[in-house]
């Protein structure tokens, strides 16, 4: 890890092998930058999406993924399902922003969606100023995210910003979707990590995470795994309470960074219109603690 930190390389044999030759069922990289230039991108959105979530992807393209004030690009990372999905090809033809992996689209494979999306970004060889990894069930207040990121993340930083948790125990209930067996993870606590399906960072950090993932045993809990890799590489994980972990009242939305709870596409359209009506998407009011935000919303 010291070698990787200093030179972004090492002679040590990798623990994992992420074979890229057969990893992608659909890879738009050859034409990804044809329609809109990839030079001088201010923000790149990497959205983990379920293969059948056509509505979510469509609405994201029409709302927070398409803010005219910024130079942005968006790519959706999906897996596959046994259900026939002929519409994916049509979606790709129209938008050219779908990367489909050769893995089943399950919760356990989210970690591979993130790993392979990082590897795909490196092969694409573009240098966006900032990168935002996010799930397709979130509303992102794009201008707020950019304002915070551009002021807190320098190109030379090794840092990830999100909702940080500490001293979390691994889930040992085998009925839980985040179950970790003692064989997979024998320790009493998980390292600090960012939760909520959202990470804000830069391309330097992405490169380090992609290399580091080769040397850290994969566990099927995406955010915990990235926390382990980040801790091993000495990447700073910085907490920001603007990344909500549950849906708050609509009045909060103009002041936050992103919120979960937007599986219904009509809710995303409705609340995005609300944010735009407020005229506050270019101004972020920073709260150092939730007690201040509570007093603002509920006073």
């Amino acid at each position: 890890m010291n070698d990787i930190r200093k030179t972004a390389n090492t002679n040590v044999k990798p623990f994992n092998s992420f074979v890229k030759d057969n990893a992608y069922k659909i890879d738009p990289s050859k034409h990804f930058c044809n329609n809109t230039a990839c030079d001088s991108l201010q923000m790149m959105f990497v959205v983990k999406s379920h293969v059948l979530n056509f509505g979510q992807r469509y609405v994201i393209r029409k709302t927070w993924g398409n803010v005219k004030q910024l130079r942005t690009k968006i790519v959706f990372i999906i897996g596959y399902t046994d259900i026939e999905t002929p519409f994916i090809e049509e979606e790709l033809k129209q938008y050219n922003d779908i990367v489909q992996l050769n893995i089943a689209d399950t919760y356990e494979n989210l970690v591979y969606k993130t790993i392979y999306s990082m590897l795909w970004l490196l092969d694409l060889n573009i240098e966006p100023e900032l990168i935002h990894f996010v799930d397709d069930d979130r509303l992102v207040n794009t201008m707020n995210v950019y304002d915070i990121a551009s002021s807190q993340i320098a190109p030379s930083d090794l840092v990830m910003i999100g909702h940080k948790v500490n001293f979390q125990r691994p889930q040992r209930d085998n009925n839980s979707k985040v179950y970790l067996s003692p064989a997979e993870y024998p320790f009493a606590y998980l390292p600090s990590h960012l939760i909520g399906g959202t990470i804000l960072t830069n391309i330097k950090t992405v490169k380090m995470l992609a290399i580091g993932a080769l040397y850290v045993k994969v566990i099927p809990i995406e955010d915990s795994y990235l926390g382990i890799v980040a801790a091993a590489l000495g990447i700073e994980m910085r907490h920001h309470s603007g990344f909500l972990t549950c849906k708050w009242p609509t009045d909060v939305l103009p002041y936050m960074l992103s919120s979960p709870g937007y599986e219904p596409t009509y809710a995303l359209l409705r609340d995005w219109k609300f944010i735009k009506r407020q005229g506050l998407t270019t101004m972020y009011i920073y709260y150092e603690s939730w007690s201040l935000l509570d007093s603002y919303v509920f006073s």
Side-chain angles (χ1 to χ4, degrees), residues 138 163 241-246 248 252-253 256 258-260 290 293:
R138 295 187 75 93
H163 189 99
S241 56
F243 292 103
L244 307 183
T245 58
C246 60
W248 277 60
V252 176
L253 297 179
M256 60 80 187
S258 79
S259 170
W290 273 112
L293 184 56

Side-chain angles (χ1 to χ4, degrees), residues 11 22 43 45 54 59 75 77 82 85 89 112 144-145 161 169 202 210 216 224 227 250 257 295:
N11 292 324
N22 299 313
M43 181 80 73
F45 292 108
F54 298 100
V59 172
V75 62
I77 311 296
D82 291 335
T85 52
E89 293 293 340
Y112 292 105
N144 288 355
V145 168
I161 299 178
R169 288 184 176 273
N202 58 17
V216 178
S224 300
T250 305
L257 299 180
S295 64

Side-chain angles (χ1 to χ4, degrees), residues 85-105:
T85 52
F87 297 112
I88 291 295
E89 293 293 340
E90 291 302 316
E91 190 177 7
L92 181 69
K93 287 178 184 177
Q94 185 170 357
Y95 299 106
N96 198 46
D97 60 3
I98 299 287
V99 174
Q100 186 173 32
L101 299 176
N102 228 334
I103 60 173
D105 213 326

Side-chain angles (χ1 to χ4, degrees), residues 7 49 52 126 152 168 170-171 173 242 279 287:
T7 67
S49 179
L52 299 179
I126 64 173
Q152 295 191 15
Q168 189 176 59
Q171 178 57 255
D173 179 0
Y287 291 91

